[in-house]
Amino acid sequence: MEKPALQRKIIHIDMDAFFASVEQHDRPELRGLPLAIGRDVPRGVVSTASYEARPFGVRSAMSIMQAKKRCPGLLIVPPRFGRYKEVSGQIHAIFHEYTDLVEPLSIDEAFLDVTENKKGMGLAIDIARAIKREIYEKTGLTASAGVSYNKFLAKIASDYRKPDGLFLVHPDRALDFVGRLPVEKFWGVGPKTAQTMHGMGIVTGEQLREVSLSHLLQRFGKQGKIYFDFARGIDNRPVVVDHERKSVGCERTFMEDISSKSTVIIELYHTVLELVERLERSGFEGRTLTLKLKWDAMTQITRSITHTKALRTKDEILPLAKRLLSQTEYGSRPVRLMGLSVSSPVHDSDGQKPWQEWVEGYLQFH
């Protein structure tokens, strides 16, 4: 494998079951018990599951109802996003003691480029070990760290020995490491893409490496070039310090299409609640609300509205969401998927007028 002139030193830090771990730290009586962070309501969703709950199959994004069925003794703990942000701030302050090249991915994970670091330390794995130790000393929480020469490999490495893990993918061993990986572990390979690859006889990174670039481009479009590079341990994306979130959203695909107006309204209400929770969690503030409905596998429609101030609460968002829904054909067409998102960060200036509305119309998928 051809090496770049300057080998970067990249660390990916991922907090272990972050929300659940904060609760167990703050409330010792919860330690060692299976718990899920979420709202114990009929349509509640698991934000984070503790490691004690995971052997039962409880995981993030699962419905609370399903999680309780899988783990009858599961404790449901309401989220405290303000507390999680406070702890996240402590953790990110630790990152900046070592480097200012920090790219947050979420409240509980980040990439760090420590090629040139403030401590003058030579080995990235020593820096990762020091960061993990300092996080534990200052917060009482454990983190898992992956170390390599690019973001793709560092990200995979951080998942390799969770929880409280530390794993290095050395440049000299990267090809062997990638070759043994199941394609499901590759960044950007979801269940559908993995299924397509399996149908092509591609199960591991080594098998993916044997496929020509032209064939991957033909089957996966531009994403094919990314898979081609990843299979060779190549990822030239830099750690982006000024990376800024542009939107926060959520969507749900229904097990069966819903048709009645009352059912759609109920689902809209619960989608709004989930969106508000995600906004609280991320700290994002935006002015544009977008509703997405998918009627069938081929057609979806979006409606959007922009306000002069940030949209944060259920009382602010729900009336707008209902207003957007009223502009659609709901009730006369079955709905397969519903989504809501908030975009247009409050500090952006896009020239839109207060309460400006726009319609994208139908988007055809081919």
Side-chain angles (χ1 to χ4, degrees), residues 6-74:
L6 175 62
Q7 199 78 262
R8 309 304 298 176
K9 298 176 183 177
I10 307 298
I11 299 173
H12 179 255
I13 299 287
D14 192 6
M15 299 302 298
D16 299 322
F18 182 51
F19 295 174
S21 296
V22 170
E23 297 300 339
Q24 289 178 322
H25 174 267
D26 291 355
R27 299 171 59 187
E29 70 273 16
L30 297 179
R31 295 175 188 173
L33 300 178
L35 62 88
I37 306 301
R39 304 189 189 282
D40 196 359
V41 294
R43 298 280 180 160
V45 176
V46 175
S47 293
T48 307
S50 69
Y51 279 98
E52 294 84 358
R54 296 185 185 191
F56 296 91
V58 180
R59 53 179 174 75
S60 299
M62 175 181 287
S63 72
I64 293 290
M65 187 177 298
Q66 185 180 4
K68 290 164 76 172
K69 286 180 180 178
R70 293 195 177 189
C71 181
L74 186 69

Side-chain angles (χ1 to χ4, degrees), residues 75-96:
L75 299 175
I76 309 301
V77 178
R80 297 183 298 150
F81 294 116
R83 174 59 175 154
Y84 308 149
K85 289 179 186 177
E86 177 188 354
V87 178
S88 177
Q90 292 178 273
I91 294 165
H92 280 75
I94 294 171
F95 296 160
H96 283 276

Side-chain angles (χ1 to χ4, degrees), residues 261-320:
K261 285 193 172 183
S262 60
T263 303
V264 175
I265 289 290
I266 291 172
E267 292 297 339
L268 182 72
Y269 175 82
H270 291 297
T271 305
V272 168
L273 293 183
E274 184 177 348
L275 176 62
V276 168
E277 185 172 298
R278 293 191 179 203
L279 288 169
E280 290 177 349
R281 189 162 110 184
S282 66
F284 178 82
E285 295 186 341
R287 300 176 293 111
T288 297
L289 180 69
T290 299
L291 168 71
K292 177 171 75 172
L293 297 179
K294 183 178 286 188
W295 307 121
D296 51 49
M298 298 296 293
T299 311
Q300 78 176 30
I301 188 172
T302 61
R303 298 287 186 265
S304 295
I305 187 169
T306 297
H307 187 29
T308 52
K309 297 181 180 179
L311 300 171
R312 301 184 185 90
T313 68
K314 180 196 73 174
D315 291 341
E316 293 168 339
I317 295 174
L318 184 58
L320 300 184

